[in-house]
Amino acid sequence: MTEALSDTFTVRFFARLREELGVEEMTLKAEPGLTTGRVLEQLASRGGPWSQLKNGQPVMIAVNQAMAKEATAVNAGDELAFFPPVTGG
Amino acid sequence: MTEALSDTFTVRFFARLREELGVEEMTLKAEPGLTTGRVLEQLASRGGPWSQLKNGQPVMIAVNQAMAKEATAVNAGDELAFFPPVTGG
Amino acid sequence: MLVMSWRFFRRSQGADVISIQADDFDPNAEYQALRQSGPDTGAIATFTGLVRISGDHSGVTGLFLEHYPGMTEAVIQQLIDQASERWNILTARVIHRIGPLPLGDQIVFVGIASRHRGDAFAACEFIMDALKTSAPFWKKEINQEGEHWVEQKTSDLERSESW
Amino acid sequence: MLVMSWRFFRRSQGADVISIQADDFDPNAEYQALRQSGPDTGAIATFTGLVRISGDHSGVTGLFLEHYPGMTEAVIQQLIDQASERWNILTARVIHRIGPLPLGDQIVFVGIASRHRGDAFAACEFIMDALKTSAPFWKKEINQEGEHWVEQKTSDLERSESW
């Protein structure tokens, strides 16, 4: 069953998280009242390397390419990203 | 009468002071107990543009090319310099 | 007075440059561009970061830089905007490289042209400090023993928060 | 630990440069020299000061820079030594021009190579700030109405004393 594009949002992973989860990008179904923190909880409940999203090293959150918090709302069409603290420069 | 070189010290003036006094360098006779402040007083007593050395804008003092104060001793062979606050950079 | 203030803070943001690139950059070309910020340009401060041999581990032979395309540029633009609100900037140029970078290579350039040195220094250092904790770049360090992701340093967080 | 500390603070002062010159300088040649500060060079901060149109008076067309030969070099060396005691510097290069300088010309260059950006920024800004209040240079400003000696600014004194 294919989900309608308009019902979904994208999640991207970078750097160490991308490598340890083995996923670069995924598409998930949006639900009313969803927050980035809830998405993290749902993903962490998959177990294995995913548990680190709630119980591991700090995870930074972006929504639509702007820094966000766990309380930030997630809507259909959004681009979420989870990544380790940044280390450029 | 020529002063013996070993009895004298040099005074140099820079920038606005050099221009307003009309003197770049002068040789003066050393005396026991002389200080840069006393030299300034003696020169200021000449009157005219020289009075500014005591009653004018701030004057910076160097002895042997190092910053000095009015209490700094002056000895034969020394190179004194009087100049306005510096403005390089 | 109002006109003076307006003139004082006016700047041509069109001359600002943000570039995320795999290729090396030429700091001299950046400096020469910064010099073209008009006749009131009195101060140019630049910073260049290089791959150094002592990183998190010793004997670093190179880095690999990953970034979040799109978001990186947006964050750096925000940092330049924040700097422009706090200091008098004529032109800002920021370049950050991505991909594999051998020991000694240039990683990042931040250059600020301003009327006065205080603004140029502050804006340049602020952008560098803030970039290190808020722009989505990640550094993988490579040495003889292998490779590992660099951890964010508490000192970097403190520097960034001190602004 | 002692050996580590010694290595950490060791630097080849032979690579330091102080130059007082009438001729223009090439900031890129200075930058390239700073890059040759060894494999632990991680940060290069530079500052260049330019003749700007708005000085003490408006419509500046040029400057004339006078200095105290000998003392100038000695004071700048002391500033580099002071900076080296406070921050970890690999190489310092300071150039200051003298004589007539038209609008837009380069006046002064301070460049610092260091392991870390905090040291490079601080040493560079400290040397510039201290140079402006302690190195014997005097600036005569020239505009359409004539020429006048520039007065030292209270803000420069305050900046210098803040270190």
Side-chain angles (χ1 to χ4, degrees):
Chain A
M1 182 183 135
T2 311
E3 295 168 327
L5 263 179
S6 56
D7 288 324
T8 62
F9 61 94
T10 309
V11 183
R12 301 176 68 174
F13 302 96
F14 289 94
R16 181 178 46 73
L17 273 185
R18 174 181 47 73
E19 284 187 353
E20 291 180 5
L21 301 178
V23 178
E24 189 168 330
E25 189 170 331
M26 62 192 341
T27 302
L28 297 176
K29 198 158 187 299
E31 297 158 20
L34 198 61
T35 62
T36 62
R38 184 73 191 116
V39 175
L40 277 175
E41 275 166 25
Q42 288 174 353
L43 292 173
S45 69
R46 296 181 175 198
W50 295 92
S51 349
Q52 70 178 293
L53 292 178
K54 287 307 285 181
N55 304 311
Q57 297 178 56
V59 174
M60 291 179 85
I61 304 167
V63 174
N64 298 327
Q65 307 198 350
M67 289 299 183
K69 302 188 171 179
E70 298 214 354
T72 304
V74 176
N75 298 301
D78 280 349
E79 175 178 301
L80 268 62
F82 298 125
F83 45 79
V86 304
T87 55
Chain B
M1 184 182 134
T2 312
E3 295 167 328
L5 263 178
S6 56
D7 289 322
T8 63
F9 62 94
T10 309
V11 184
R12 300 177 69 174
F13 301 96
F14 289 94
R16 181 176 49 70
L17 274 186
R18 175 181 48 72
E19 284 187 352
E20 292 180 5
L21 302 178
V23 179
E24 189 167 331
E25 189 169 331
M26 61 193 340
T27 303
L28 297 176
K29 198 158 187 300
E31 297 158 18
L34 199 60
T35 62
T36 61
R38 183 73 191 117
V39 174
L40 277 176
E41 275 166 25
Q42 289 174 352
L43 292 173
S45 69
R46 297 180 174 199
W50 295 92
S51 348
Q52 70 177 294
L53 293 178
K54 285 310 286 180
N55 304 311
Q57 297 177 57
V59 174
M60 292 179 85
I61 305 166
V63 174
N64 297 328
Q65 308 198 352
M67 289 299 183
K69 303 189 171 179
E70 297 214 355
T72 305
V74 176
N75 297 301
D78 279 351
E79 174 179 301
L80 268 62
F82 298 125
F83 44 78
V86 305
T87 56
Chain C
M1 187 61 193
L2 201 72
V3 174
M4 285 293 289
S5 298
W6 178 78
R7 280 190 59 214
F8 189 70
F9 287 107
R10 180 181 52 176
R11 66 190 205 90
S12 57
Q13 287 181 298
D16 289 348
V17 162
I18 297 170
S19 176
I20 315 298
Q21 58 188 55
D23 290 341
D24 197 8
F25 55 81
D26 177 4
N28 189 45
E30 299 309 312
Y31 172 76
Q32 297 303 336
L34 288 165
R35 267 191 86 171
Q36 307 307 313
S37 302
D40 220 12
T41 311
I44 296 176
T46 77
F47 177 84
T48 313
L50 307 169
V51 182
R52 57 192 279 265
I53 200 164
S54 305
D56 273 14
H57 293 48
S58 60
V60 170
T61 56
L63 300 177
F64 186 91
L65 257 297
E66 179 174 330
H67 81 305
Y68 185 168
M71 179 169 171
T72 318
E73 291 85 344
V75 168
I76 294 173
Q77 184 61 59
Q78 286 161 14
L79 298 182
I80 294 176
D81 292 345
Q82 286 171 29
S84 300
E85 281 166 24
R86 293 180 62 177
W87 300 286
N88 172 17
I89 299 176
L90 294 166
T91 310
R93 296 177 77 93
V94 179
I95 304 177
H96 203 297
R97 290 178 68 199
I98 50 171
L101 301 178
L103 176 63
D105 251 36
Q106 303 179 138
I107 308 169
V108 59
F109 175 90
V110 176
I112 302 289
S114 183
R115 289 171 180 80
H116 302 286
R117 74 188 185 289
D119 296 278
F121 273 118
C124 189
E125 190 166 8
F126 163 80
I127 289 173
M128 263 311 300
D129 283 351
L131 183 153
K132 283 193 87 91
T133 57
S134 69
F137 291 103
W138 302 272
K139 216 177 252 169
K140 186 179 264 187
E141 208 173 79
I142 301 144
N143 70 359
Q144 307 93 308
E145 288 149 28
E147 52 181 56
H148 66 276
W149 291 101
V150 171
E151 300 287 332
Q152 193 175 62
K153 283 162 196 62
T154 310
S155 59
D156 282 335
L157 275 176
E158 286 166 356
R159 287 183 66 90
S160 185
E161 281 160 10
S162 73
W163 292 96
Chain D
M1 187 59 194
L2 202 72
V3 174
M4 285 291 290
S5 298
W6 179 79
R7 279 190 59 214
F8 189 68
F9 288 106
R10 180 181 53 174
R11 64 191 207 91
S12 57
Q13 287 179 297
D16 289 348
V17 162
I18 297 171
S19 176
I20 315 298
Q21 59 189 52
D23 290 341
D24 198 9
F25 55 81
D26 177 5
N28 190 45
E30 300 308 312
Y31 172 76
Q32 296 304 335
L34 288 165
R35 267 191 86 172
Q36 306 307 313
S37 303
D40 220 14
T41 310
I44 296 176
T46 77
F47 177 83
T48 313
L50 307 169
V51 181
R52 57 191 281 264
I53 201 164
S54 305
D56 273 15
H57 294 48
S58 61
V60 170
T61 56
L63 299 177
F64 186 90
L65 256 298
E66 180 173 331
H67 82 306
Y68 186 168
M71 180 169 170
T72 318
E73 292 85 344
V75 168
I76 294 174
Q77 184 61 59
Q78 285 161 14
L79 298 182
I80 294 176
D81 292 345
Q82 285 170 29
S84 299
E85 282 166 23
R86 293 179 62 176
W87 299 288
N88 172 18
I89 299 177
L90 293 167
T91 311
R93 295 178 78 94
V94 179
I95 303 177
H96 202 297
R97 290 178 69 198
I98 51 171
L101 300 178
L103 176 63
D105 251 36
Q106 302 179 137
I107 307 170
V108 59
F109 175 89
V110 177
I112 303 289
S114 183
R115 289 171 180 81
H116 302 285
R117 74 189 185 288
D119 295 279
F121 273 119
C124 189
E125 190 167 7
F126 164 80
I127 290 173
M128 262 312 300
D129 283 351
L131 183 153
K132 282 192 89 91
T133 57
S134 69
F137 291 104
W138 301 273
K139 215 177 252 168
K140 186 178 263 185
E141 208 172 80
I142 301 144
N143 71 357
Q144 308 95 308
E145 289 149 27
E147 51 181 55
H148 66 276
W149 291 101
V150 172
E151 301 285 333
Q152 193 176 62
K153 284 163 195 62
T154 309
S155 58
D156 282 335
L157 276 176
E158 286 165 357
R159 287 183 66 89
S160 184
E161 281 161 10
S162 72
W163 292 97

